[in-house]
Amino acid sequence: MPSQAACILLATYNGEHYLRTQLDSIRSQSYQNWQLLVRDDCSTDGTADILKEYAELDSRIQLHSEFECCHVGATRSFEKLLVTGLDSGAKQFFLCDQDDQWHVDRLERYLHGFDVGNLPQLVFADLQLVDENLAPLGQTAAFQRESSDLRFLSLTSLLSLNHIPGCSMALNRELAELALPIPLDAIMHDWWFSLTASASGKLTYIDLKLTKYRQHASNTVGAPSILGILADPLHWGSLWRSGASELMRSMSQAEILASRLEQIGGSSISSIEPLRQYAGLSSLKLLERVKTAWRLRLRRGKPLTAIVLYLRLLCLSRPRRIRDD
């Protein structure tokens, strides 16, 4: 067990209804050597007051220096918090959502999941889906079914679809340093972290439900079901357009990661080459595009989403400009 404080990163936005439950679950952890860095993303409810109340109650809770009305979104909030955490000298970083609840030994379990060494590593565990009142739901999220299957944790499986939600993630210092800065074309911080870990180091899965993951209307990213999407044809058009845009951005983030790994060295061709191949799909002729996607085994074992992916590949337009700033 590490002697330094575990660094928990919490980005909040209008979370007054559930925030106390999450903060209390952190303060009740069996592993008590932690610091909690919080950045509020310009909430308009009572979130800021709750955070200040808890910061006065517990000196381990520190409000980010930019604790003012500056709305930047979840990705940039976590980026700012991660920079602050690195400056503090922390070795492990635990991402945290405002509306979840941690199991009492969550920190302890995660810390045991980290290896000794300097390999970039991401540790994550299963989630328990619950309703707004923390009552268990009967459904199972896609990432829960897939996390224990190593096929879905390979680099190629993460190129076009992220399986690991940010609230389940913990990063070691080596991964955090490599992942920063988060490029503008990164779709979400959690996808960027998981992709970077898979390409440069290691993903470690803990087969335990250590977080109660609330499902409600205000979730930034929830756990939608395929059947629910199919049952809502009025939104198929917008979903198709947003998915096509996300596909192009996922190629951009793969290209950026490949360039970053080449610049720092130490990553094998076996990691960089799939990133380059995926990033270049849109520049290929139609038949070669499909062949390359098949060789990369994109979404293999996921028939429905694979069909959607290949349909989008058939409609790809010219590549977008890559930005890593």
Side-chain angles (χ1 to χ4, degrees):
M1 191 72 67
S3 58
Q4 75 281 352
C7 187
I8 305 168
L9 310 179
L10 171 60
T12 60
Y13 179 71
N14 288 352
E16 66 176 4
H17 296 298
Y18 310 111
L19 182 57
R20 292 181 185 275
T21 300
Q22 177 64 295
L23 292 174
D24 288 340
S25 74
I26 293 172
R27 297 185 69 227
S28 300
Q29 287 295 295
S30 59
Y31 183 81
Q32 285 287 299
N33 188 15
W34 51 262
Q35 61 172 331
L36 173 61
L37 302 181
V38 189
R39 183 186 185 278
D40 183 60
D41 198 29
C42 196
S43 291
T44 56
D45 61 1
T47 297
D49 292 333
I50 294 173
L51 291 173
K52 290 174 182 176
E53 172 191 334
Y54 273 78
E56 293 175 358
L57 182 66
D58 194 323
S59 61
R60 295 171 297 179
I61 300 175
Q62 303 172 30
L63 305 185
H64 193 266
S65 59
E66 291 190 6
F67 194 79
E68 75 276 349
C69 194
C70 182
H71 186 63
V72 297
T75 293
R76 296 305 151 196
S77 286
F78 277 111
E79 181 178 48
K80 291 174 181 291
L81 289 169
L82 196 54
V83 169
T84 301
L86 285 169
D87 289 342
S88 74
K91 302 297 184 183
Q92 291 92 17
F93 306 91
F94 303 80
L95 276 59
C96 179
D97 277 1
Q98 65 189 19
D99 48 1
D100 299 332
Q101 184 183 64
W102 284 12
H103 192 278
V104 66
D105 63 348
R106 185 183 192 274
L107 270 180
E108 189 174 351
R109 296 276 190 176
Y110 270 68
L111 287 167
H112 281 301
F114 282 106
D115 296 339
V116 176
N118 57 3
L119 190 70
Q121 184 180 8
L122 186 149
V123 178
F124 69 107
D126 203 348
L127 306 173
Q128 180 184 21
L129 297 184
V130 298
D131 65 14
E132 295 186 8
N133 299 314
L134 298 177
L137 297 173
Q139 67 194 85
T140 300
F143 51 78
Q144 289 178 279
R145 296 192 298 270
E146 295 160 358
S147 294
S148 59
D149 190 335
L150 295 181
R151 292 179 303 166
F152 297 104
L153 297 182
S154 66
L155 173 60
T156 55
S157 76
L158 290 164
L159 289 172
S160 66
L161 192 66
N162 183 38
H163 309 295
I164 310 173
C167 65
S168 70
M169 290 182 174
L171 292 65
N172 68 358
R173 187 176 185 89
E174 289 74 18
L175 177 57
E177 291 174 338
L178 178 58
L180 292 178
I182 301 174
L184 293 179
D185 270 358
I187 298 170
M188 282 293 286
H189 58 284
D190 52 5
W191 195 344
W192 176 252
F193 292 155
S194 60
L195 193 65
T196 303
S198 183
S200 66
K202 180 179 181 182
L203 295 169
T204 299
Y205 173 62
I206 301 172
D207 191 13
L208 293 170
K209 292 179 173 64
L210 298 177
T211 304
K212 291 186 176 181
Y213 185 56
R214 267 195 177 101
Q215 298 296 287
H216 53 80
S218 59
N219 280 67
T220 301
V221 178
S225 68
I226 295 296
L227 291 178
I229 294 173
L230 292 176
D232 192 11
L234 293 178
H235 291 86
W236 287 357
S238 61
L239 286 173
W240 177 266
R241 289 189 295 272
S242 63
S245 174
E246 181 178 282
L247 177 61
M248 294 301 296
R249 289 184 65 191
S250 71
M251 294 180 187
S252 295
Q253 73 177 359
E255 177 65 25
I256 293 168
L257 180 56
S259 298
R260 186 174 297 188
L261 294 177
E262 286 178 339
Q263 290 173 3
I264 65 172
S267 294
S268 65
I269 297 297
S270 62
S271 293
I272 295 176
E273 186 59 27
L275 293 168
R276 291 290 189 199
Q277 291 180 16
Y278 180 73
L281 281 176
S282 62
S283 63
L284 298 176
K285 293 182 179 179
L286 184 59
L287 184 58
E288 189 58 33
R289 186 184 301 168
V290 173
K291 287 182 177 179
T292 301
W294 183 261
R295 286 196 301 268
L296 288 172
R297 303 178 65 84
L298 300 179
R299 303 191 187 180
R300 192 66 60 86
K302 297 174 63 66
L304 184 57
T305 60
I307 290 172
V308 174
L309 173 65
Y310 278 89
L311 287 174
R312 287 196 174 115
L313 288 174
L314 296 176
C315 304
L316 278 180
S317 57
R318 297 178 63 182
R320 300 171 61 251
R321 179 173 64 90
I322 308 277
R323 300 173 295 172
D324 187 9
D325 49 23

